[in-house]
Amino acid sequence: MRILAAMSGGVDSAVAAARAVEAGHDVVGVHLALSRAGGTLRTGSRGCCTIEDALDARRAADLLGIPFYVWDFSERFRDDVIDDFIAEYQAGRTPNPCMRCNEKIKFAALLERAIELGFDAVCTGHYATLIDGEQGLELHRASDNAKDQSYVLGVLTAEQLAHTYFPLGTTPSKAIVRAEAETRGLTVAQKPDSHDICFIPDGDTRGWLAEKVGTATGEIVDRSGAVVGSHEGAHGFTVGQRRGLKLGVPAADGKPRFVLEVRPVSNTVVVGPKEALAIAEIAGERFSWAGAGPVESSFDCHVQIRAHSEPVAAVATVSDDGVRVVPEIPLDGVAPGQTAVLYVGTRVLGQFTIDTTVSAVPVGA
């Protein structure tokens, strides 16, 4: 196949490209410049898309003997990922920018251009596997459960999966990938993995949002509506948050309180006991299937609400109104805007953005 290898400058994408070359494919490397003013150097595991990353990707491509290009996707990244991130927080939701980047950049903008240029597939260093099933191509978890990235790939459609290539999916561990990089002479063999949000390299999401959208004093209330504190912008809070609340009125039972809800229209933050974070039902309208969808409108599955959270057995119901999921045990600290990915065994069925949640603990209980 003609393969376009997305090379971030990290060890995973470098080894994935190397395996594609070794498999006999016609490979071209490409690094995505996602910032017009990218930093020069990384700080440990923080940041990405720096000049250092681009140079690391180029060195890997040179060692592999493949053509290499840098493509400027900064405008698309700003519109589809950064601006979306800000808008979601302003709407009182908690977005996942990695999901949006995979959906809108790596497997939409990049894949579209790759196909236009005559490539058969885009190769990435994601840890996930593709299997030919009875009803077509299926997306499954990686062999290494600790590194599995099928959750953040749940946004991919059947058509996109048909043009993807994940050489690392069956690798038993990340240690094997690093050892292989050493053997191949790749200089990124021991480069730290990236963490946190790539466009907020210092990790201060609250401060970054305050710079983008400003501050506005509002009330912090308990579940009864009583005012227990104040804040400088509801966008700086997310469901499940405990730190940084600075409440002026202690709880009657003396226990810590957590953010239960963010109301952007009234600029209000609702807090309550930890037990109230338990969620008995989630639902959303924006959903997609990663391959063939379920035959029945109601089906058993497992739902995962974070990249590294444990999947929970559940019953999902699909209708014209969207997807509704009732877990066997309550989910913890779910926020509108998060992505719920549905699995059957190791297979990714699809995903939806959570719009509404139902607490397992009624007000006053």
PDB file of all heavy atoms in Angstrom, residues 87-120:
ATOM      1  N   ALA A  87     -15.353  26.897  23.568  1.00  0.00           N
ATOM      2  CA  ALA A  87     -16.816  26.991  23.476  1.00  0.00           C
ATOM      3  C   ALA A  87     -17.502  25.969  24.374  1.00  0.00           C
ATOM      4  O   ALA A  87     -18.532  26.273  24.996  1.00  0.00           O
ATOM      5  CB  ALA A  87     -17.252  26.791  22.027  1.00  0.00           C
ATOM      6  N   GLU A  88     -16.947  24.765  24.457  1.00  0.00           N
ATOM      7  CA  GLU A  88     -17.544  23.734  25.306  1.00  0.00           C
ATOM      8  C   GLU A  88     -17.484  24.138  26.780  1.00  0.00           C
ATOM      9  O   GLU A  88     -18.458  23.975  27.521  1.00  0.00           O
ATOM     10  CB  GLU A  88     -16.834  22.396  25.090  1.00  0.00           C
ATOM     11  CG  GLU A  88     -17.178  21.720  23.777  1.00  0.00           C
ATOM     12  CD  GLU A  88     -18.599  21.193  23.777  1.00  0.00           C
ATOM     13  OE1 GLU A  88     -18.848  20.122  24.334  1.00  0.00           O
ATOM     14  OE2 GLU A  88     -19.469  21.880  23.214  1.00  0.00           O
ATOM     15  N   TYR A  89     -16.350  24.660  27.218  1.00  0.00           N
ATOM     16  CA  TYR A  89     -16.251  25.112  28.607  1.00  0.00           C
ATOM     17  C   TYR A  89     -17.199  26.276  28.879  1.00  0.00           C
ATOM     18  O   TYR A  89     -17.822  26.355  29.943  1.00  0.00           O
ATOM     19  CB  TYR A  89     -14.812  25.511  28.944  1.00  0.00           C
ATOM     20  CG  TYR A  89     -14.045  24.410  29.640  1.00  0.00           C
ATOM     21  CD1 TYR A  89     -13.146  23.608  28.948  1.00  0.00           C
ATOM     22  CD2 TYR A  89     -14.220  24.160  31.001  1.00  0.00           C
ATOM     23  CE1 TYR A  89     -12.445  22.590  29.578  1.00  0.00           C
ATOM     24  CE2 TYR A  89     -13.524  23.143  31.644  1.00  0.00           C
ATOM     25  CZ  TYR A  89     -12.644  22.361  30.925  1.00  0.00           C
ATOM     26  OH  TYR A  89     -11.964  21.347  31.557  1.00  0.00           O
ATOM     27  N   GLN A  90     -17.325  27.188  27.919  1.00  0.00           N
ATOM     28  CA  GLN A  90     -18.244  28.304  28.089  1.00  0.00           C
ATOM     29  C   GLN A  90     -19.692  27.832  28.192  1.00  0.00           C
ATOM     30  O   GLN A  90     -20.531  28.490  28.810  1.00  0.00           O
ATOM     31  CB  GLN A  90     -18.098  29.292  26.928  1.00  0.00           C
ATOM     32  CG  GLN A  90     -16.815  30.110  26.983  1.00  0.00           C
ATOM     33  CD  GLN A  90     -16.698  31.066  25.811  1.00  0.00           C
ATOM     34  OE1 GLN A  90     -16.759  30.657  24.651  1.00  0.00           O
ATOM     35  NE2 GLN A  90     -16.528  32.337  26.095  1.00  0.00           N
ATOM     36  N   ALA A  91     -19.978  26.673  27.581  1.00  0.00           N
ATOM     37  CA  ALA A  91     -21.319  26.100  27.630  1.00  0.00           C
ATOM     38  C   ALA A  91     -21.525  25.210  28.852  1.00  0.00           C
ATOM     39  O   ALA A  91     -22.570  24.569  28.983  1.00  0.00           O
ATOM     40  CB  ALA A  91     -21.592  25.302  26.358  1.00  0.00           C
ATOM     41  N   GLY A  92     -20.528  25.134  29.736  1.00  0.00           N
ATOM     42  CA  GLY A  92     -20.659  24.354  30.949  1.00  0.00           C
ATOM     43  C   GLY A  92     -20.358  22.882  30.773  1.00  0.00           C
ATOM     44  O   GLY A  92     -20.710  22.065  31.634  1.00  0.00           O
ATOM     45  N   ARG A  93     -19.684  22.525  29.676  1.00  0.00           N
ATOM     46  CA  ARG A  93     -19.344  21.122  29.437  1.00  0.00           C
ATOM     47  C   ARG A  93     -17.841  20.905  29.584  1.00  0.00           C
ATOM     48  O   ARG A  93     -17.064  21.847  29.576  1.00  0.00           O
ATOM     49  CB  ARG A  93     -19.819  20.706  28.033  1.00  0.00           C
ATOM     50  CG  ARG A  93     -21.335  20.741  27.882  1.00  0.00           C
ATOM     51  CD  ARG A  93     -21.771  20.116  26.559  1.00  0.00           C
ATOM     52  NE  ARG A  93     -21.454  20.960  25.426  1.00  0.00           N
ATOM     53  CZ  ARG A  93     -22.281  21.851  24.891  1.00  0.00           C
ATOM     54  NH1 ARG A  93     -23.479  22.024  25.401  1.00  0.00           N
ATOM     55  NH2 ARG A  93     -21.922  22.565  23.845  1.00  0.00           N
ATOM     56  N   THR A  94     -17.460  19.639  29.705  1.00  0.00           N
ATOM     57  CA  THR A  94     -16.048  19.274  29.853  1.00  0.00           C
ATOM     58  C   THR A  94     -15.612  18.502  28.618  1.00  0.00           C
ATOM     59  O   THR A  94     -15.877  17.304  28.507  1.00  0.00           O
ATOM     60  CB  THR A  94     -15.840  18.420  31.114  1.00  0.00           C
ATOM     61  OG1 THR A  94     -16.299  19.149  32.258  1.00  0.00           O
ATOM     62  CG2 THR A  94     -14.361  18.093  31.290  1.00  0.00           C
ATOM     63  N   PRO A  95     -14.958  19.152  27.665  1.00  0.00           N
ATOM     64  CA  PRO A  95     -14.604  18.504  26.401  1.00  0.00           C
ATOM     65  C   PRO A  95     -13.352  17.643  26.508  1.00  0.00           C
ATOM     66  O   PRO A  95     -12.572  17.763  27.445  1.00  0.00           O
ATOM     67  CB  PRO A  95     -14.355  19.695  25.468  1.00  0.00           C
ATOM     68  CG  PRO A  95     -13.815  20.753  26.400  1.00  0.00           C
ATOM     69  CD  PRO A  95     -14.557  20.571  27.694  1.00  0.00           C
ATOM     70  N   ASN A  96     -13.168  16.771  25.524  1.00  0.00           N
ATOM     71  CA  ASN A  96     -11.951  15.972  25.417  1.00  0.00           C
ATOM     72  C   ASN A  96     -11.260  16.369  24.114  1.00  0.00           C
ATOM     73  O   ASN A  96     -11.642  15.912  23.032  1.00  0.00           O
ATOM     74  CB  ASN A  96     -12.286  14.474  25.406  1.00  0.00           C
ATOM     75  CG  ASN A  96     -11.042  13.605  25.420  1.00  0.00           C
ATOM     76  OD1 ASN A  96     -10.034  13.924  24.795  1.00  0.00           O
ATOM     77  ND2 ASN A  96     -11.103  12.488  26.121  1.00  0.00           N
ATOM     78  N   PRO A  97     -10.241  17.242  24.181  1.00  0.00           N
ATOM     79  CA  PRO A  97      -9.604  17.735  22.943  1.00  0.00           C
ATOM     80  C   PRO A  97      -8.908  16.650  22.144  1.00  0.00           C
ATOM     81  O   PRO A  97      -8.773  16.772  20.931  1.00  0.00           O
ATOM     82  CB  PRO A  97      -8.621  18.791  23.455  1.00  0.00           C
ATOM     83  CG  PRO A  97      -8.357  18.415  24.876  1.00  0.00           C
ATOM     84  CD  PRO A  97      -9.643  17.831  25.386  1.00  0.00           C
ATOM     85  N   CYS A  98      -8.466  15.558  22.810  1.00  0.00           N
ATOM     86  CA  CYS A  98      -7.818  14.466  22.067  1.00  0.00           C
ATOM     87  C   CYS A  98      -8.818  13.778  21.141  1.00  0.00           C
ATOM     88  O   CYS A  98      -8.477  13.371  20.024  1.00  0.00           O
ATOM     89  CB  CYS A  98      -7.209  13.455  23.029  1.00  0.00           C
ATOM     90  SG  CYS A  98      -5.822  14.105  23.977  1.00  0.00           S
ATOM     91  N   MET A  99     -10.072  13.635  21.608  1.00  0.00           N
ATOM     92  CA  MET A  99     -11.109  13.048  20.755  1.00  0.00           C
ATOM     93  C   MET A  99     -11.356  13.937  19.544  1.00  0.00           C
ATOM     94  O   MET A  99     -11.454  13.455  18.411  1.00  0.00           O
ATOM     95  CB  MET A  99     -12.412  12.876  21.540  1.00  0.00           C
ATOM     96  CG  MET A  99     -12.317  12.019  22.785  1.00  0.00           C
ATOM     97  SD  MET A  99     -12.046  10.276  22.457  1.00  0.00           S
ATOM     98  CE  MET A  99     -13.642   9.731  21.916  1.00  0.00           C
ATOM     99  N   ARG A 100     -11.456  15.251  19.776  1.00  0.00           N
ATOM    100  CA  ARG A 100     -11.714  16.173  18.669  1.00  0.00           C
ATOM    101  C   ARG A 100     -10.554  16.193  17.692  1.00  0.00           C
ATOM    102  O   ARG A 100     -10.748  16.294  16.475  1.00  0.00           O
ATOM    103  CB  ARG A 100     -11.954  17.585  19.203  1.00  0.00           C
ATOM    104  CG  ARG A 100     -13.187  17.756  20.064  1.00  0.00           C
ATOM    105  CD  ARG A 100     -14.482  17.674  19.270  1.00  0.00           C
ATOM    106  NE  ARG A 100     -14.875  16.298  19.019  1.00  0.00           N
ATOM    107  CZ  ARG A 100     -15.454  15.501  19.910  1.00  0.00           C
ATOM    108  NH1 ARG A 100     -15.679  15.921  21.125  1.00  0.00           N
ATOM    109  NH2 ARG A 100     -15.789  14.269  19.586  1.00  0.00           N
ATOM    110  N   CYS A 101      -9.322  16.090  18.209  1.00  0.00           N
ATOM    111  CA  CYS A 101      -8.151  16.097  17.325  1.00  0.00           C
ATOM    112  C   CYS A 101      -8.146  14.855  16.444  1.00  0.00           C
ATOM    113  O   CYS A 101      -7.880  14.946  15.231  1.00  0.00           O
ATOM    114  CB  CYS A 101      -6.871  16.172  18.152  1.00  0.00           C
ATOM    115  SG  CYS A 101      -5.369  16.337  17.163  1.00  0.00           S
ATOM    116  N   ASN A 102      -8.427  13.698  17.028  1.00  0.00           N
ATOM    117  CA  ASN A 102      -8.495  12.477  16.224  1.00  0.00           C
ATOM    118  C   ASN A 102      -9.605  12.553  15.196  1.00  0.00           C
ATOM    119  O   ASN A 102      -9.446  12.156  14.041  1.00  0.00           O
ATOM    120  CB  ASN A 102      -8.705  11.261  17.128  1.00  0.00           C
ATOM    121  CG  ASN A 102      -7.427  10.818  17.809  1.00  0.00           C
ATOM    122  OD1 ASN A 102      -6.333  11.043  17.299  1.00  0.00           O
ATOM    123  ND2 ASN A 102      -7.548  10.209  18.962  1.00  0.00           N
ATOM    124  N   GLU A 103     -10.753  13.087  15.633  1.00  0.00           N
ATOM    125  CA  GLU A 103     -11.922  13.152  14.751  1.00  0.00           C
ATOM    126  C   GLU A 103     -11.727  14.158  13.617  1.00  0.00           C
ATOM    127  O   GLU A 103     -11.984  13.849  12.449  1.00  0.00           O
ATOM    128  CB  GLU A 103     -13.162  13.523  15.568  1.00  0.00           C
ATOM    129  CG  GLU A 103     -14.420  13.675  14.749  1.00  0.00           C
ATOM    130  CD  GLU A 103     -15.590  14.196  15.572  1.00  0.00           C
ATOM    131  OE1 GLU A 103     -15.373  14.699  16.695  1.00  0.00           O
ATOM    132  OE2 GLU A 103     -16.724  14.110  15.085  1.00  0.00           O
ATOM    133  N   LYS A 104     -11.289  15.356  13.974  1.00  0.00           N
ATOM    134  CA  LYS A 104     -11.276  16.462  13.015  1.00  0.00           C
ATOM    135  C   LYS A 104      -9.943  16.649  12.280  1.00  0.00           C
ATOM    136  O   LYS A 104      -9.931  17.147  11.153  1.00  0.00           O
ATOM    137  CB  LYS A 104     -11.619  17.776  13.734  1.00  0.00           C
ATOM    138  CG  LYS A 104     -12.977  17.782  14.422  1.00  0.00           C
ATOM    139  CD  LYS A 104     -14.118  17.752  13.422  1.00  0.00           C
ATOM    140  CE  LYS A 104     -15.454  17.948  14.118  1.00  0.00           C
ATOM    141  NZ  LYS A 104     -16.576  17.950  13.141  1.00  0.00           N
ATOM    142  N   ILE A 105      -8.837  16.280  12.924  1.00  0.00           N
ATOM    143  CA  ILE A 105      -7.521  16.547  12.334  1.00  0.00           C
ATOM    144  C   ILE A 105      -6.886  15.283  11.752  1.00  0.00           C
ATOM    145  O   ILE A 105      -6.733  15.137  10.545  1.00  0.00           O
ATOM    146  CB  ILE A 105      -6.565  17.190  13.373  1.00  0.00           C
ATOM    147  CG1 ILE A 105      -7.207  18.442  13.989  1.00  0.00           C
ATOM    148  CG2 ILE A 105      -5.239  17.529  12.711  1.00  0.00           C
ATOM    149  CD1 ILE A 105      -7.536  19.540  12.998  1.00  0.00           C
ATOM    150  N   LYS A 106      -6.540  14.326  12.614  1.00  0.00           N
ATOM    151  CA  LYS A 106      -5.764  13.169  12.160  1.00  0.00           C
ATOM    152  C   LYS A 106      -6.548  12.236  11.249  1.00  0.00           C
ATOM    153  O   LYS A 106      -5.982  11.620  10.347  1.00  0.00           O
ATOM    154  CB  LYS A 106      -5.238  12.399  13.376  1.00  0.00           C
ATOM    155  CG  LYS A 106      -4.233  13.192  14.193  1.00  0.00           C
ATOM    156  CD  LYS A 106      -3.833  12.456  15.452  1.00  0.00           C
ATOM    157  CE  LYS A 106      -2.879  13.298  16.280  1.00  0.00           C
ATOM    158  NZ  LYS A 106      -2.585  12.683  17.595  1.00  0.00           N
ATOM    159  N   PHE A 107      -7.855  12.101  11.494  1.00  0.00           N
ATOM    160  CA  PHE A 107      -8.609  11.152  10.695  1.00  0.00           C
ATOM    161  C   PHE A 107      -9.745  11.820   9.914  1.00  0.00           C
ATOM    162  O   PHE A 107     -10.697  11.166   9.518  1.00  0.00           O
ATOM    163  CB  PHE A 107      -9.144  10.026  11.586  1.00  0.00           C
ATOM    164  CG  PHE A 107      -8.044   9.217  12.203  1.00  0.00           C
ATOM    165  CD1 PHE A 107      -7.628   9.476  13.489  1.00  0.00           C
ATOM    166  CD2 PHE A 107      -7.399   8.235  11.471  1.00  0.00           C
ATOM    167  CE1 PHE A 107      -6.591   8.736  14.059  1.00  0.00           C
ATOM    168  CE2 PHE A 107      -6.364   7.497  12.025  1.00  0.00           C
ATOM    169  CZ  PHE A 107      -5.963   7.752  13.325  1.00  0.00           C
ATOM    170  N   ALA A 108      -9.621  13.115   9.713  1.00  0.00           N
ATOM    171  CA  ALA A 108     -10.540  13.831   8.821  1.00  0.00           C
ATOM    172  C   ALA A 108      -9.683  14.669   7.883  1.00  0.00           C
ATOM    173  O   ALA A 108      -9.474  14.313   6.728  1.00  0.00           O
ATOM    174  CB  ALA A 108     -11.514  14.696   9.619  1.00  0.00           C
ATOM    175  N   ALA A 109      -9.123  15.766   8.385  1.00  0.00           N
ATOM    176  CA  ALA A 109      -8.318  16.643   7.536  1.00  0.00           C
ATOM    177  C   ALA A 109      -7.118  15.911   6.937  1.00  0.00           C
ATOM    178  O   ALA A 109      -6.872  15.977   5.723  1.00  0.00           O
ATOM    179  CB  ALA A 109      -7.848  17.848   8.353  1.00  0.00           C
ATOM    180  N   LEU A 110      -6.352  15.201   7.767  1.00  0.00           N
ATOM    181  CA  LEU A 110      -5.173  14.496   7.274  1.00  0.00           C
ATOM    182  C   LEU A 110      -5.550  13.361   6.331  1.00  0.00           C
ATOM    183  O   LEU A 110      -4.962  13.208   5.255  1.00  0.00           O
ATOM    184  CB  LEU A 110      -4.350  13.951   8.448  1.00  0.00           C
ATOM    185  CG  LEU A 110      -3.106  13.135   8.079  1.00  0.00           C
ATOM    186  CD1 LEU A 110      -2.124  13.985   7.279  1.00  0.00           C
ATOM    187  CD2 LEU A 110      -2.432  12.585   9.334  1.00  0.00           C
ATOM    188  N   LEU A 111      -6.529  12.563   6.727  1.00  0.00           N
ATOM    189  CA  LEU A 111      -6.931  11.431   5.899  1.00  0.00           C
ATOM    190  C   LEU A 111      -7.520  11.892   4.566  1.00  0.00           C
ATOM    191  O   LEU A 111      -7.259  11.299   3.513  1.00  0.00           O
ATOM    192  CB  LEU A 111      -7.943  10.564   6.657  1.00  0.00           C
ATOM    193  CG  LEU A 111      -8.392   9.279   5.978  1.00  0.00           C
ATOM    194  CD1 LEU A 111      -7.203   8.405   5.596  1.00  0.00           C
ATOM    195  CD2 LEU A 111      -9.350   8.508   6.891  1.00  0.00           C
ATOM    196  N   GLU A 112      -8.302  12.974   4.602  1.00  0.00           N
ATOM    197  CA  GLU A 112      -8.882  13.506   3.369  1.00  0.00           C
ATOM    198  C   GLU A 112      -7.775  13.917   2.395  1.00  0.00           C
ATOM    199  O   GLU A 112      -7.830  13.611   1.202  1.00  0.00           O
ATOM    200  CB  GLU A 112      -9.773  14.718   3.688  1.00  0.00           C
ATOM    201  CG  GLU A 112     -11.093  14.353   4.362  1.00  0.00           C
ATOM    202  CD  GLU A 112     -11.790  15.573   4.930  1.00  0.00           C
ATOM    203  OE1 GLU A 112     -11.337  16.716   4.664  1.00  0.00           O
ATOM    204  OE2 GLU A 112     -12.783  15.388   5.663  1.00  0.00           O
ATOM    205  N   ARG A 113      -6.763  14.619   2.910  1.00  0.00           N
ATOM    206  CA  ARG A 113      -5.673  15.047   2.026  1.00  0.00           C
ATOM    207  C   ARG A 113      -4.878  13.845   1.532  1.00  0.00           C
ATOM    208  O   ARG A 113      -4.456  13.809   0.369  1.00  0.00           O
ATOM    209  CB  ARG A 113      -4.747  16.026   2.753  1.00  0.00           C
ATOM    210  CG  ARG A 113      -3.642  16.562   1.867  1.00  0.00           C
ATOM    211  CD  ARG A 113      -2.760  17.574   2.552  1.00  0.00           C
ATOM    212  NE  ARG A 113      -3.466  18.798   2.896  1.00  0.00           N
ATOM    213  CZ  ARG A 113      -2.860  19.873   3.424  1.00  0.00           C
ATOM    214  NH1 ARG A 113      -1.545  19.852   3.657  1.00  0.00           N
ATOM    215  NH2 ARG A 113      -3.559  20.950   3.734  1.00  0.00           N
ATOM    216  N   ALA A 114      -4.681  12.864   2.412  1.00  0.00           N
ATOM    217  CA  ALA A 114      -3.927  11.667   2.019  1.00  0.00           C
ATOM    218  C   ALA A 114      -4.612  10.948   0.857  1.00  0.00           C
ATOM    219  O   ALA A 114      -3.962  10.545  -0.117  1.00  0.00           O
ATOM    220  CB  ALA A 114      -3.789  10.727   3.214  1.00  0.00           C
ATOM    221  N   ILE A 115      -5.931  10.788   0.959  1.00  0.00           N
ATOM    222  CA  ILE A 115      -6.674  10.093  -0.102  1.00  0.00           C
ATOM    223  C   ILE A 115      -6.637  10.896  -1.394  1.00  0.00           C
ATOM    224  O   ILE A 115      -6.484  10.346  -2.494  1.00  0.00           O
ATOM    225  CB  ILE A 115      -8.120   9.828   0.353  1.00  0.00           C
ATOM    226  CG1 ILE A 115      -8.115   8.790   1.490  1.00  0.00           C
ATOM    227  CG2 ILE A 115      -8.977   9.329  -0.812  1.00  0.00           C
ATOM    228  CD1 ILE A 115      -9.466   8.562   2.117  1.00  0.00           C
ATOM    229  N   GLU A 116      -6.747  12.226  -1.273  1.00  0.00           N
ATOM    230  CA  GLU A 116      -6.671  13.087  -2.454  1.00  0.00           C
ATOM    231  C   GLU A 116      -5.327  12.930  -3.169  1.00  0.00           C
ATOM    232  O   GLU A 116      -5.244  13.030  -4.394  1.00  0.00           O
ATOM    233  CB  GLU A 116      -6.858  14.554  -2.043  1.00  0.00           C
ATOM    234  CG  GLU A 116      -8.293  14.914  -1.651  1.00  0.00           C
ATOM    235  CD  GLU A 116      -8.385  16.341  -1.135  1.00  0.00           C
ATOM    236  OE1 GLU A 116      -7.330  17.017  -1.038  1.00  0.00           O
ATOM    237  OE2 GLU A 116      -9.502  16.775  -0.807  1.00  0.00           O
ATOM    238  N   LEU A 117      -4.261  12.673  -2.396  1.00  0.00           N
ATOM    239  CA  LEU A 117      -2.925  12.534  -2.959  1.00  0.00           C
ATOM    240  C   LEU A 117      -2.607  11.107  -3.401  1.00  0.00           C
ATOM    241  O   LEU A 117      -1.481  10.807  -3.812  1.00  0.00           O
ATOM    242  CB  LEU A 117      -1.880  13.008  -1.941  1.00  0.00           C
ATOM    243  CG  LEU A 117      -1.901  14.510  -1.616  1.00  0.00           C
ATOM    244  CD1 LEU A 117      -0.937  14.831  -0.489  1.00  0.00           C
ATOM    245  CD2 LEU A 117      -1.558  15.339  -2.854  1.00  0.00           C
ATOM    246  N   GLY A 118      -3.587  10.222  -3.275  1.00  0.00           N
ATOM    247  CA  GLY A 118      -3.410   8.867  -3.767  1.00  0.00           C
ATOM    248  C   GLY A 118      -2.894   7.851  -2.769  1.00  0.00           C
ATOM    249  O   GLY A 118      -2.538   6.731  -3.145  1.00  0.00           O
ATOM    250  N   PHE A 119      -2.879   8.206  -1.474  1.00  0.00           N
ATOM    251  CA  PHE A 119      -2.463   7.247  -0.463  1.00  0.00           C
ATOM    252  C   PHE A 119      -3.626   6.308  -0.128  1.00  0.00           C
ATOM    253  O   PHE A 119      -4.795   6.687  -0.215  1.00  0.00           O
ATOM    254  CB  PHE A 119      -1.994   7.970   0.812  1.00  0.00           C
ATOM    255  CG  PHE A 119      -0.682   8.676   0.653  1.00  0.00           C
ATOM    256  CD1 PHE A 119      -0.633  10.021   0.301  1.00  0.00           C
ATOM    257  CD2 PHE A 119       0.510   7.996   0.847  1.00  0.00           C
ATOM    258  CE1 PHE A 119       0.572  10.684   0.153  1.00  0.00           C
ATOM    259  CE2 PHE A 119       1.735   8.649   0.692  1.00  0.00           C
ATOM    260  CZ  PHE A 119       1.761   9.988   0.347  1.00  0.00           C
ATOM    261  N   ASP A 120      -3.269   5.098   0.272  1.00  0.00           N
ATOM    262  CA  ASP A 120      -4.297   4.116   0.641  1.00  0.00           C
ATOM    263  C   ASP A 120      -4.699   4.210   2.095  1.00  0.00           C
ATOM    264  O   ASP A 120      -5.836   3.867   2.452  1.00  0.00           O
ATOM    265  CB  ASP A 120      -3.779   2.693   0.368  1.00  0.00           C
ATOM    266  CG  ASP A 120      -3.456   2.472  -1.099  1.00  0.00           C
ATOM    267  OD1 ASP A 120      -4.374   2.646  -1.922  1.00  0.00           O
ATOM    268  OD2 ASP A 120      -2.298   2.147  -1.419  1.00  0.00           O
TER     269      ASP A 120
END
